[in-house]
Amino acid sequence: MTLRHVVESQQFTVPLLMELFDRTRGMERVVARGGTLDYQHRIMATLFYQPSTRTRFSFEAAMHRLGGRVLSSDHARVFSSEIEGEQVEDSIRIIGSYADVIVIRHHEVGGAKRAARVSPVPVINAGDGNGGQHPTQALLDLYTIYRGRPLDGLSIAFIGDLEHGRTARSLAYLLAKFDRVKIFFVAPPELQMKPDILQYLDRHNVCYELAGDIDKVVGEVNVVYQTRIQPSRVADASGLRRFAIDSSVLQRMRADAMILHPLPRTVELDKTVDSDPRALYFRQATNGLFVRMALLTMLLDLG
């Protein structure tokens, strides 16, 4: 199977994931020697309708490490053309005539899919809407786990705002492709995972549980995937500490557990956790560079 666009996690098969991860290991070696010039005649356009620092820099660094060039905008929503009502489809058609690949973050769920339908070049979804998808984040999350333990038989707790969390949604889709996976969704009732993900897991015979307290699951799982909760989205913000990781929670976790977070963080992940060897979120972010380099090569090699 080859990739034309990357808009959602469901596109990836296990063989395709393993091919991507093999390439990713190669990209680690490429970066270690200072990069390559293999893609020096290629141009990537980043079109961000929502602000981003980490994702945009990661993609742009990936393209530079491959020897390519970058056309960048992190304020696409305030372009004069957008203010005047130009549709994303028209913008993509034009930008696709300038670049070899387009990375888009859109404020509407499905924005990347709309772009892919009309684009003359590959489109990569860098996050769409609240409660949409962020497939490349999920790929780097999965790669980080894969480097540490088998994916079959994995147990993982997603903690935080799961209703709006596109990273947790995208990773859940990927984990459903592996055997004997068990997922715990830990969130306030008003921010629990949406039914569409739960129905998808049911169809694929993935075991999951809904929980309202971190203490009940943190000692059982191989991976703790922490995400942010905005206090304004819950009825009782004083109870958010039940969904936070600090030194006391570390004591109840498994000795071989992994702590992941897509970042940025606020109060849900205490800085005292950073020195714990199970805290892998900075390595997770670094892996994003390698995964995105590998993904870009898979798309650009088709052209």
Side-chain angles (χ1 to χ4, degrees):
M1 179 181 176
T2 57
L3 286 173
R4 169 61 177 167
H5 306 286
V6 177
V7 296
E8 58 187 11
S9 293
Q10 298 95 303
Q11 295 175 247
F12 288 84
T13 62
V14 171
L16 191 57
L17 287 169
M18 294 303 107
E19 178 186 347
L20 174 65
F21 292 169
D22 285 344
R23 286 196 183 217
T24 300
R25 292 294 295 271
M27 293 303 111
E28 292 185 37
R29 295 188 289 271
V30 167
V31 171
R33 66 172 187 258
T36 179
L37 295 177
D38 288 351
Y39 296 86
Q40 62 182 314
H41 301 301
R42 299 292 196 149
I43 297 174
M44 178 185 75
T46 59
L47 189 61
F48 279 62
Y49 290 79
Q50 286 183 319
S52 168
T53 301
R54 292 158 186 80
T55 300
R56 183 169 63 87
F57 275 19
S58 179
F59 268 111
E60 293 181 4
M63 193 62 179
H64 285 301
R65 291 290 190 185
L66 292 170
R69 290 166 286 180
V70 175
L71 304 174
S72 179
S73 170
D74 59 348
H75 296 289
R77 200 172 180 180
V78 295
F79 278 177
S80 60
S81 58
E82 292 297 324
I83 292 172
E84 293 167 6
E86 182 176 69
Q87 297 295 309
V88 65
E89 287 86 353
D90 291 350
S91 299
I92 291 295
R93 286 186 175 100
I94 298 301
I95 294 169
S97 67
Y98 305 151
D100 299 294
V101 60
I102 298 172
V103 178
I104 182 171
R105 170 167 289 188
H106 203 266
H107 51 282
E108 297 176 356
V109 174
K113 188 174 290 188
R114 287 171 53 198
R117 288 194 189 105
V118 301
S119 178
V121 298
V123 166
I124 301 175
N125 180 2
D128 60 340
N130 289 320
Q133 283 211 43
H134 196 345
T136 66
Q137 177 69 48
L139 291 170
L140 72 91
D141 295 339
L142 192 69
Y143 180 71
T144 302
I145 300 169
Y146 169 78
R147 289 297 305 272
R149 56 178 26 88
L151 296 173
D152 289 329
L154 186 78
S155 59
I156 181 171
F158 289 103
I159 304 169
D161 183 352
L162 306 183
E163 179 182 13
H164 303 96
R166 53 195 175 199
T167 62
R169 291 172 57 82
S170 295
L171 184 53
Y173 279 124
L174 291 181
L175 290 171
K177 302 178 183 299
F178 296 91
D179 296 330
R180 306 184 315 281
V181 169
K182 183 167 185 178
I183 302 175
F184 296 89
F185 296 113
V186 186
E190 60 267 47
L191 297 178
Q192 255 300 357
M193 184 58 77
K194 290 181 179 179
D196 63 328
I197 296 292
L198 305 183
Q199 292 163 7
Y200 182 89
L201 297 177
D202 286 334
R203 291 195 302 271
H204 290 80
N205 299 312
V206 178
C207 182
Y208 67 86
E209 291 184 21
L210 306 183
D213 195 319
I214 191 173
D215 290 336
K216 296 179 180 179
V217 303
V218 73
E220 297 186 35
V221 295
N222 307 124
V223 179
V224 175
Y225 192 97
Q226 183 75 35
T227 67
R228 284 181 296 164
I229 299 179
Q230 296 183 27
S232 60
R233 288 177 170 167
V234 295
D236 180 16
S238 64
L240 292 183
R241 293 193 63 82
R242 293 187 294 118
F243 305 95
I245 298 179
D246 56 19
S247 57
S248 65
V249 174
L250 290 178
Q251 296 174 13
R252 299 192 295 275
M253 290 177 57
R254 293 172 54 155
D256 63 345
M258 307 169 73
I259 304 171
L260 303 182
H261 193 303
L263 300 175
R265 62 174 163 186
T266 54
V267 297
E268 76 283 348
L269 183 59
D270 194 88
K271 291 185 178 180
T272 59
V273 179
D274 295 355
S275 59
D276 192 286
R278 294 168 291 186
L280 299 180
Y281 30 89
F282 294 118
R283 185 186 305 175
Q284 179 186 356
T286 300
N287 285 340
L289 171 66
F290 308 134
V291 169
R292 286 168 174 137
M293 288 175 67
L295 195 61
L296 285 168
T297 66
M298 291 177 74
L299 294 171
L300 291 171
D301 287 350
L302 295 175

